[in-house]
Amino acid sequence: MMISSEPPIKKSVKSINPPEVGEWIELTIEGDDEAATHLMEFLYPQVMSIVRARLPRRGCVEDLAQDIFIRIFRKLEQYSGKVPLKHWVSRIAVNMCTNAYHKAKANQELRLADLGEEEAHVIESLTTCDDELEPSQSWAARELVDKLLETLNVKDRLLVDLICLRGYTYNQAREKTGWNISAMKVRM
């Protein structure tokens, strides 16, 4: 019976992955920057493919990929080697993309650049003059309000509708919803 001096985790890491990947993992855990660079170059196409497929906005793709690699390298010592490294990395990337998607959806915002030409014109008109809107602009303003309300979650939308659009007081809104007045003010 031959006794190996290598821990079993490293042996499985080497056997389930290509030999150079197993080495890069070991060396990266030991602090070798060159091995970490090789490992990152090996995983980069996969991570970027996952991020691009799961995030609609292009601007945050690189930032999220960087966060994923930070998580991978921080958790690399926890990689057991029971599955190929690419499977383990995929799970991390998919989970982080899902979390980023839900976070972005919760903090959804609509920028002026996201609006149509007529909607942008209505916003500019409202911010530059005190005159009443023409009927066509009034219609466009209402459509814009509806579009903006759709970006809010259900409770926020109800509150804005009651307070801003229907003119309810906070006390009247509290009677309708049963919500705490302080919480409604914070939500507004």
Side-chain angles (χ1 to χ4, degrees):
M1 177 179 209
M2 193 167 148
I3 298 177
S4 172
S5 62
E6 278 188 85
I9 217 169
K10 290 184 179 181
K11 196 173 221 177
S12 63
V13 167
K14 281 185 175 178
S15 63
I16 204 161
N17 295 297
E20 65 275 6
V21 173
E23 269 182 55
W24 295 335
I25 292 170
E26 289 177 18
L27 293 171
T28 300
I29 290 171
E30 294 170 7
D32 186 321
D33 289 339
E34 188 177 338
T37 301
H38 288 300
L39 196 55
M40 188 169 157
E41 289 170 352
F42 174 73
L43 297 171
Y44 185 82
Q46 175 191 6
V47 169
M48 289 307 290
S49 173
I50 291 169
V51 172
R52 284 189 187 115
R54 286 172 175 72
L55 282 184
R57 292 226 164 152
R58 189 117 176 103
C60 59
V61 169
E62 288 291 333
D63 292 340
L64 183 57
Q66 184 176 6
D67 291 342
I68 290 169
F69 276 108
I70 290 169
R71 172 82 46 89
I72 289 167
F73 286 112
R74 282 188 180 156
K75 304 280 185 185
L76 195 57
E77 290 180 355
Q78 296 175 9
Y79 171 62
S80 67
K82 293 179 181 175
V83 297
L85 179 66
K86 285 193 170 193
H87 294 195
W88 184 76
V89 167
S90 291
R91 189 75 318 216
I92 290 172
V94 167
N95 287 340
M96 288 188 71
C97 286
T98 302
N99 293 343
Y101 173 79
H102 289 299
K103 185 178 178 183
K105 190 166 180 152
N107 297 325
Q108 194 174 32
E109 62 182 44
L110 195 61
R111 297 180 304 242
L112 193 56
D114 295 335
L115 301 175
E117 193 174 313
E118 190 173 336
E119 293 167 332
H121 180 68
V122 168
I123 295 271
E124 288 175 25
S125 302
L126 291 172
T127 58
T128 57
C129 71
D130 293 330
D131 301 336
E132 281 211 23
L133 295 175
E134 300 172 17
S136 65
Q137 285 183 322
S138 181
W139 179 256
R142 182 59 200 182
E143 285 182 350
L144 177 59
V145 167
D146 290 341
K147 185 175 185 175
L148 294 172
L149 283 173
E150 287 174 14
T151 66
L152 299 176
N153 70 41
V154 176
K155 288 183 178 181
D156 291 344
R157 187 177 322 137
L158 175 61
L159 192 58
V160 168
D161 182 52
L162 291 174
I163 302 289
C164 298
L165 301 178
R166 296 185 188 191
Y168 282 41
T169 64
Y170 282 101
N171 283 328
Q172 291 170 325
R174 182 180 49 82
E175 289 172 11
K176 281 268 190 208
T177 62
W179 299 338
N180 179 310
I181 290 178
S182 298
M184 286 192 290
K185 288 180 178 180
V186 168
R187 207 174 262 284
M188 284 297 287

